[in-house]
Amino acid sequence: MTTPDSIIQVRNFTAAYGNVKVIDDISFDVYRGEVFVILGGSGCGKSTMLKHMIGLYEPAGGSIVIEGDDIVTAEGEARRAILRRFGVMYQLGALFGSMTLLQNVRLPLEEYTNIPEEAMNLVALTKLDLVGLKDFAGHMPAEISGGMQKRAAIARAMALDPKILFLDEPSAGLDPITSAELDTLIKRLARTLQITFVIVTHDLPSIYSIADRVIMLDKRVRKIVAVGRPADLRDNSEDPWVRQFFNREAEAAQAS
Amino acid sequence: MVISGALDVATTASIWPQATKFFSETDAKAVEVDADGISYLDGFGAGLLLDIQRRAIPRGIRLTVSGLKPDFQAMLEPFKPEGYATLPSTSKPDAPLVDSVGAAIKALIADLGAFAEFTGEISRALVYAAFHPRTIRWKDVYRTAVVAGADALPVIMLVGFLIGFVMAFQSAIPMRQFGADIFVPTLVGIAMLRELGPIMTAVGLAGRSGAAFAAEIGTMKVNEEVSALVTLGLQPVRFLIVPRIIAAVAMTPFLIVFANVAGLLGGLIVFMSLGYPAGMYFDQLEQSISLNDLLGGLIKGFAFGFVVAAVGCMRGLQTSTGASAVGRSTTSAVVTSIVLVAIGDGIFAIVYYYLGF
Ligand SMILES: Nc1ncnc2c1ncn2[C@@H]1O[C@H](COP(=O)(O)OP(=O)(O)OP(=O)(O)O)[C@@H](O)[C@H]1O
Ligand SMILES: [Mg+2]
């Protein structure tokens, strides 16, 4: 499975809360430059998977290798180096409420770089420019809309030029049009900056529009039940449940 | 000018100051940047090139960048150097001292105005509640009273005890030199009953309950729960504030009495350690303090309790959006109510003096 350039390798991964297993021994790869979507029904462990991949939790077993280094075992400086390779947009944005957007984006720059003060402002401003929020640099997070907060959160996640961006439910709480705009932004960033995206979502229109590949987790077996391109899964999957998952939304989309 | 190599975080950090210095000092009319040797470019490198471009504009320097690889060119594409003429600054410039003093005074006056208005609103709600006692949410009153009153007892009594004890101890030493240490009970009694009991209770109430009111109501405001109340047709003042005010005002006199008792007890211990019998302490108290001293303190206490609770609720309702706003409201609830209690205490001192209280 190494023909395409693999940037993240998850191997024999098991996640558990206490002694309740949520994900049981799964393996998959994320390829460089692709938009990779983790999906599945509510409570199947998507957020759990994501939180382990960004190193917030320690898995009950297995390894998660990001660009050659295992985030599970890395410590200290080595761990900091891995953390620098990716940015994360949390489900609710998680912008710091007491700082302006510019200060939010600047914060990682202050922590990790030693470029001149003014240059930090400039770089931070370019990130806001990329997500179309340059004119809102001086606003507080509470003063902008939910969709804008998500975009600002993406700008902050991109502050250090990560190669990988993790997004937790980018379209949650957004109307279809705003959500489509966000999809366009994601596609543009993936194309122009060659960023690899790992996205948790169950918004099917968005999956069809952005995903190169998806994996689908299932709560009952605690495993991956499908891997592939979304359109292929919809049309060709052997698992009736998977086909149903993809088609239900297709029907709903047609109905609306 | 030749820029070459890999432009990433590490390398730009060292080149950046040189580049900006060059552009602020040069008087060349045209600068050609040879970018042919750039082998890698990320957001930081793009930022550097953008910075060079934007610096050239106001100085009238004609800038040409040659040899930049198409891939890197594409990374620069989204940014228009003209749009970056001035960067928003991240820190606010410090206002001159006179201005900030002026602003502070203005804010204080505006605050007093807002508080007066708010007091009016609460009074109306309280009068209404007095005539319609069934509309009061007694469960909330009870719950708040337990937290603001009963739960506050240990700390209030401890502080009261220590104040009485320390006051007696500190005054006993100099008074003894004049053979006046027999008046220690008088000093402790009057000071506790008239001033320290009520004040200390008010400060304690501000720190415990006033802050809690501001935080609770502030959080509800931030979560739009207050808006939800309004749209459900429930007035926040009646629903959230009246119960808290009733509870706080009702509890304050009790707290003051307990603080007084604890303070007098502290004084008693010091007095006895000076070698006097306990009976003498009470004789002295009986001769020097009257019911008026106690009542004066309690009346003050009602007012202080009202001020502290009202300010806490007002700050809660004034909370703007965001989590840090709740913190600000809480702090300012405590500060404002302590200031108002101090001012109020001064007014009471004058009024009591003229009433011969
Ligand atoms: N902190 C936790 N402690 C214990 N159990 C948890 C915890 N977080 C999640 N779980 C459990 O793990 C399972 C997976 O949760 P997770 O949040 O990963 O689901 P999800 O796929 O993200 O669902 P949704 O689409 O609803 O967000 C659920 O059964 C949940 O009850
Ligand atoms: Mg989730």
Side-chain angles (χ1 to χ4, degrees):
Chain A
M1 240 176 112
T2 45
T3 355
D5 188 7
S6 165
I7 191 166
I8 303 175
Q9 298 98 40
V10 176
R11 292 290 175 269
N12 306 107
F13 169 82
T14 300
Y17 291 105
N19 40 24
V20 182
K21 269 191 196 166
V22 177
I23 298 174
D24 190 9
D25 190 18
I26 66 170
S27 300
F28 61 88
D29 283 70
V30 178
Y31 302 139
R32 195 177 294 276
E34 75 174 343
V35 176
F36 183 83
V37 169
I38 302 174
L39 74 112
S42 198
C44 69
K46 304 181 293 293
S47 300
T48 304
M49 187 68 238
L50 193 82
K51 282 174 185 153
H52 280 88
M53 289 174 88
I54 61 181
L56 284 181
Y57 295 159
E58 209 166 296
S63 64
I64 298 170
V65 176
I66 296 179
E67 286 205 303
D69 299 297
D70 190 345
I71 193 164
V72 177
T73 51
E75 275 170 29
E77 267 313 302
R79 190 180 164 83
R80 246 170 96 87
I82 303 177
L83 293 181
R84 270 203 57 166
R85 291 174 195 160
F86 59 78
V88 184
M89 188 203 82
Y90 295 91
Q91 188 157 350
L92 298 171
L95 294 170
F96 303 116
S98 56
M99 303 180 184
T100 63
L101 299 192
L102 191 72
Q103 288 167 331
N104 262 286
V105 180
R106 234 184 85 118
L107 189 67
L109 297 174
E110 290 166 10
E111 268 306 300
Y112 280 95
T113 74
N114 46 8
I115 59 175
E117 280 289 307
E118 225 194 343
M120 281 186 200
N121 283 352
L122 181 88
V123 172
L125 201 59
T126 60
K127 305 300 175 193
L128 286 173
D129 202 355
L130 282 177
V131 299
L133 288 177
K134 182 161 165 284
D135 295 336
F136 294 86
H139 283 59
M140 303 300 275
E143 298 168 350
I144 58 176
S145 74
M148 290 158 97
Q149 286 180 11
K150 298 232 162 150
R151 282 190 278 150
I154 293 183
R156 185 179 68 187
M158 291 196 311
L160 294 167
D161 268 283
K163 305 215 178 68
I164 309 165
L165 276 183
F166 291 94
L167 313 185
D168 196 358
E169 309 237 2
S171 49
L174 298 183
D175 67 271
I177 294 177
T178 314
S179 157
E181 282 169 12
L182 203 62
D183 291 344
T184 313
L185 173 68
I186 291 169
K187 276 191 288 191
R188 201 184 73 223
L189 294 175
R191 204 179 51 240
T192 57
L193 303 178
Q194 276 98 46
I195 295 176
T196 308
F197 279 87
V198 177
I199 302 176
V200 166
T201 183
H202 31 212
D203 181 25
L204 265 185
S206 151
I207 291 168
Y208 286 127
S209 136
I210 58 176
D212 293 312
R213 252 163 17 103
V214 303
I215 59 169
M216 188 160 176
L217 301 174
D218 185 48
K219 194 175 175 174
R220 291 157 301 178
V221 293
R222 303 189 212 98
K223 300 237 186 234
I224 299 174
V225 288
V227 191
R229 291 157 41 78
D232 289 348
L233 292 182
R234 176 191 56 201
D235 301 333
N236 309 328
S237 174
E238 282 146 30
D239 188 333
W241 190 75
V242 174
R243 278 204 313 275
Q244 191 198 0
F245 187 96
F246 278 92
N247 275 315
R248 261 180 63 95
E249 291 272 338
E251 282 162 22
Q254 271 170 9
S256 65
Chain B
M1 187 173 181
V2 180
I3 300 178
S4 64
L7 287 188
D8 58 17
V9 208
T11 51
T12 49
S14 55
I15 306 176
W16 216 307
Q18 293 173 30
T20 50
K21 188 153 171 280
F22 175 80
F23 275 91
S24 58
E25 285 173 1
T26 183
D27 29 52
K29 281 279 145 277
V31 174
E32 191 186 330
V33 177
D34 180 0
D36 193 34
I38 295 179
S39 58
Y40 174 81
L41 187 81
D42 65 5
F44 292 93
L48 176 65
L49 293 181
L50 178 66
D51 201 19
I52 291 175
Q53 291 177 345
R54 83 180 179 102
R55 278 169 196 278
I57 299 172
R59 302 187 48 106
I61 302 172
R62 222 163 49 79
L63 190 80
T64 40
V65 180
S66 62
L68 193 61
K69 295 188 177 61
D71 273 0
F72 302 152
Q73 190 69 49
M75 291 191 57
L76 270 177
E77 210 100 298
F79 312 118
K80 304 260 162 300
E82 300 81 28
Y84 287 83
T86 52
L87 298 181
S89 85
T90 42
S91 55
K92 286 202 190 84
D94 290 335
L97 183 65
V98 181
D99 284 11
S100 28
V101 170
I105 292 176
K106 251 195 223 157
L108 185 70
I109 292 174
D111 254 5
L112 284 177
F115 183 67
E117 202 174 307
F118 192 64
T119 306
E121 208 175 316
I122 294 175
S123 311
R124 224 180 24 230
L126 284 176
V127 169
Y128 178 85
F131 286 106
H132 306 81
R134 289 161 141 275
T135 64
I136 301 174
R137 298 175 51 88
W138 289 110
K139 258 198 198 131
D140 287 352
V141 175
Y142 175 76
R143 204 163 36 86
T144 315
V146 169
V147 177
D151 294 356
L153 260 188
V155 65
I156 294 272
M157 287 185 67
L158 177 70
V159 176
F161 175 83
L162 288 175
I163 286 186
F165 185 91
V166 171
M167 199 164 44
F169 185 73
Q170 294 287 12
S171 57
I173 299 164
M175 281 165 95
R176 170 154 259 189
Q177 291 177 0
F178 303 104
D181 50 355
I182 187 79
F183 292 116
V184 165
T186 312
L187 180 120
V188 173
I190 291 184
M192 273 320 287
L193 263 51
R194 292 188 73 114
E195 291 295 334
L196 292 175
I199 293 261
M200 195 204 78
T201 307
V203 171
L205 195 74
R208 283 187 88 255
S209 306
F213 293 171
E216 286 161 13
I217 297 177
T219 308
M220 293 183 72
K221 184 86 188 290
V222 171
N223 294 339
E224 301 194 276
E225 289 172 48
V226 172
S227 313
L229 280 179
V230 174
T231 41
L232 287 172
L234 305 166
Q235 298 159 345
V237 170
R238 178 168 77 72
F239 199 81
L240 297 175
I241 294 174
V242 166
R244 287 182 166 81
I245 302 249
I246 293 179
V249 170
M251 284 301 113
T252 320
F254 289 107
L255 289 176
I256 292 177
V257 169
F258 278 100
N260 289 344
V261 169
L264 294 178
L265 205 68
L268 174 65
I269 289 175
V270 173
F271 195 64
M272 285 170 68
S273 72
L274 292 174
Y276 295 102
M280 205 151 155
Y281 187 77
F282 295 111
D283 285 345
Q284 282 292 327
L285 282 182
E286 211 182 319
Q287 280 174 30
S288 54
I289 59 179
S290 64
L291 194 60
N292 274 357
D293 292 320
L294 178 66
L295 287 182
L298 290 184
I299 291 170
K300 262 206 292 211
F302 275 114
F304 292 167
F306 177 84
V307 166
V308 168
V311 169
C313 294
M314 178 176 82
R315 287 295 187 236
L317 282 185
Q318 284 172 342
T319 304
S320 52
T321 42
S324 60
V326 177
R328 272 200 303 277
S329 302
T330 313
T331 311
S332 95
V334 176
V335 173
T336 311
S337 47
I338 290 179
V339 169
L340 287 182
V341 163
I343 295 175
D345 193 48
I347 297 175
F348 270 109
I350 297 169
V351 172
Y352 282 177
Y353 175 76
Y354 280 108
L355 291 179
F357 218 45

